[in-house]
């Protein structure tokens, strides 16, 4: 028999049983569910990553919807169990949903929610921070200082890369990639080269207008270029940040051949998903090219790093915290809860997942809609 899972129960007499596999920041999401006749059960198990068996035990034989996490493996086993339990709704508390088998969800008639928009700027800010930290060797210098090694100013001490006037390369210029590009262009006056499957007209217009503004003020204007291949970005950019979705087309997008194309002193940043980079190849490249630097928020085999990465001074590594601001994490919890609640209540899907602000206004009742359901079309919603 499966080991019982510890839970905390809110509104025990609620009509709809909703399970959250983790405690999430804020209380608004809890209030929204309990005010709408949901009995909410929050898993309080100590272990960080729940197994499929743990989640099966949480779903049980009567469950209307689940809020889950990107660390969980949501496939046929869990979706068929949720369907048998009478469920129709699942939401990741994340915008990325590469941990979800959408075909299996479609087969079982389960709506899949995600949390776009609320984390765009927060994630872009962390990517920008990693870019600066890697370019200016901030973590290395901090460790040096704390180790008591600083014995006076020296001309060669921690010399890094100037960003102004250099080229920033963005691969995947969607919501986060475009926000990151704007920060680097406006903040550091960098030129842009980007690669995406689609043209980012808004981003291009922004760079053109900002370039004109700089020129009118007697400064060097910034420029933009839409690359016809990813390789063009890798060859030309001084700082490259990865922001695509993770799918078959982006798995190991950065491999040994492509690493070799990059400038010897380039900075590579990844705040998308770990498997976008072949991390073993990256460690070899970092060893062979000490002036090449990386800033990583995500890793191929989270929570682990590939052997050797932790020892590399030319790598800045943080534990998948790109969306970790209080406002964003509370907003993600709200959107995830409203996705599940909306589906249970039979609400329509919100028309624009890029404009979810009305759901985040704490003073107002949220619109009667599901903020973002990725398989709405497939389910005929
Ligand atoms: N590190 C974190 O904490 C964190 C936080 C938020 C999002 N993310 C990741 O960032 C991703 C992007 O989020 P978003 O909100 O910007 O999504 P988005 O859909 O707005 O942007 C993704 C972009 O990638 C592009 N793309 C897809 N395949 C591509 C390919 N083969 N080559 C080049 N571009 C390609 C798409 O056209 C799109 O413009 C998420 O899917 C998630 O995995 C990570
Ligand atoms: O996809 C996401 O949303 C992140 O990885 C966590 O914020």
């Amino acid at each position: 028999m499966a080991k019982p899972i510890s839970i905390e129960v809110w509104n025990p007499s609620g009509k709809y049983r909703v399970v959250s596999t983790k405690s999430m920041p804020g209380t608004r999401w809890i209030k929204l569910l309990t005010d709408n006749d949901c009995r909410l059960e929050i898993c309080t198990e100590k272990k960080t990553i729940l197994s499929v068996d743990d989640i099966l035990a949480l779903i049980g034989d009567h469950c209307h919807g689940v809020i889950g996490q990107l660390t969980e493996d949501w496939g046929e086993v869990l979706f068929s169990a949720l369907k048998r339990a009478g469920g129709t709704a699942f939401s990741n508390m994340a915008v990325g949903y590469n941990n979800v088998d959408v075909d299996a969800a479609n087969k079982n008639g389960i709506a899949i929610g995600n949390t776009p928009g609320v984390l765009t700027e927060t994630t872009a800010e962390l990517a920008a921070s990693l870019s600066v930290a890697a370019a200016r060797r901030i973590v290395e210098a901090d460790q040096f200082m704390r180790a008591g090694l600083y014995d006076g100013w020296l001309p060669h001490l921690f010399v890094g890369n100037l960003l102004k006037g250099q080229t920033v390369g963005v691969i995947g210029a969607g919501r986060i990639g475009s926000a990151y590009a704007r920060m680097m262009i406006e903040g550091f006056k960098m030129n842009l080269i980007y690669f995406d499957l689609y043209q980012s007209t808004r981003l291009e217009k922004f760079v053109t207008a900002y370039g004109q503004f700089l020129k009118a003020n007697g400064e060097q204007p910034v420029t933009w270029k839409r690359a016809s291949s990813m390789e063009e970005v890798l060859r030309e950019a001084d700082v490259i940040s990865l922001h695509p979705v993770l799918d078959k087309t982006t798995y190991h997008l950065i491999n040994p051949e492509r690493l070799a194309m990059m400038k010897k002193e380039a900075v590579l940043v990844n705040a998308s998903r770990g498997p976008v980079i072949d991390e073993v190849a990256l460690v070899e490249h970092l060893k062979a090219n000490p002036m090449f630097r990386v800033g990583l928020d995500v890793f191929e085999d989270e929570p682990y790093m590939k052997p050797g990465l932790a020892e590399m001074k030319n790598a800045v590594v943080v534990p998948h915290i790109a969306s970790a601001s209080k406002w964003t994490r509370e907003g993600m919890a709200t959107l995830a809860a409203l996705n599940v609640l909306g589906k249970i209540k039979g609400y329509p899907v919100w028309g624009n997942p890029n404009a979810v602000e009305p759901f985040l206004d704490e003073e107002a009742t949220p619109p009667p809609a599901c903020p973002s359901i990725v398989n709405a079309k497939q389910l005929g919603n």
Side-chain angles (χ1 to χ4, degrees), residues 70 93-97 115 119 123 272-273 298 320 323 329 332:
L70 59 86
M93 185 214 173
V95 65
Y97 53 92
T115 64
L119 41 63
T123 305
S272 60
R273 284 288 182 266
V298 287
H320 205 148
S323 66
R329 287 283 167 88
M332 289 164 73

Side-chain angles (χ1 to χ4, degrees), residues 7 72 98 128 132 134 137 153 173 200 204 210 215 221 229 233 251 257 260 269 293 309 312-313 322 335 363:
I7 50 162
E72 298 156 6
N98 52 287
V132 181
R137 308 175 62 181
W153 191 90
S200 185
E204 293 173 3
Y210 187 51
K215 203 171 167 195
S229 69
V233 176
Y251 174 79
E257 294 72 37
V269 169
R293 300 197 190 93
L309 184 56
M312 300 311 304
K313 283 198 159 53
L335 294 181
E363 306 306 318

Side-chain angles (χ1 to χ4, degrees), residues 13 16 38-39 55 98 151 166 171-172 179 186 189 206 220 235-236 273 290 309 322 331 336 342 372 376:
S13 58
Y16 310 107
C38 295
R39 170 193 164 98
I55 301 171
N98 52 287
D151 55 7
Q166 302 272 294
I171 296 180
E186 212 172 345
K189 302 194 177 74
F206 166 80
Q220 181 70 24
R235 284 197 190 93
E236 291 185 20
R273 284 288 182 266
L309 184 56
S372 178

Side-chain angles (χ1 to χ4, degrees), residues 123 155 292 333 346 359:
T123 305
F292 182 91
F359 296 94

Side-chain angles (χ1 to χ4, degrees), residues 18 24 28-33 38 40 66-67 89 91-93 114-115 330-344 369 371:
V18 173
M24 300 190 290
R28 185 170 178 237
W29 69 278
I30 296 175
K31 188 161 166 34
L32 286 166
L33 289 170
C38 295
L40 172 63
V66 179
I67 300 166
S91 183
N92 241 13
M93 185 214 173
N114 72 339
T115 64
E330 291 185 6
M332 289 164 73
T334 296
L335 294 181
L338 290 175
N339 281 328
V340 168
L341 179 67
K343 178 67 186 169
I344 290 172

Side-chain angles (χ1 to χ4, degrees), residues 95 123 174-176 196-198 244 249-250 271-273 297 320 322:
V95 65
T123 305
R175 285 177 293 252
I176 299 168
D196 197 294
L197 309 178
Y198 303 97
T249 69
T250 59
S272 60
R273 284 288 182 266
D297 179 54
H320 205 148

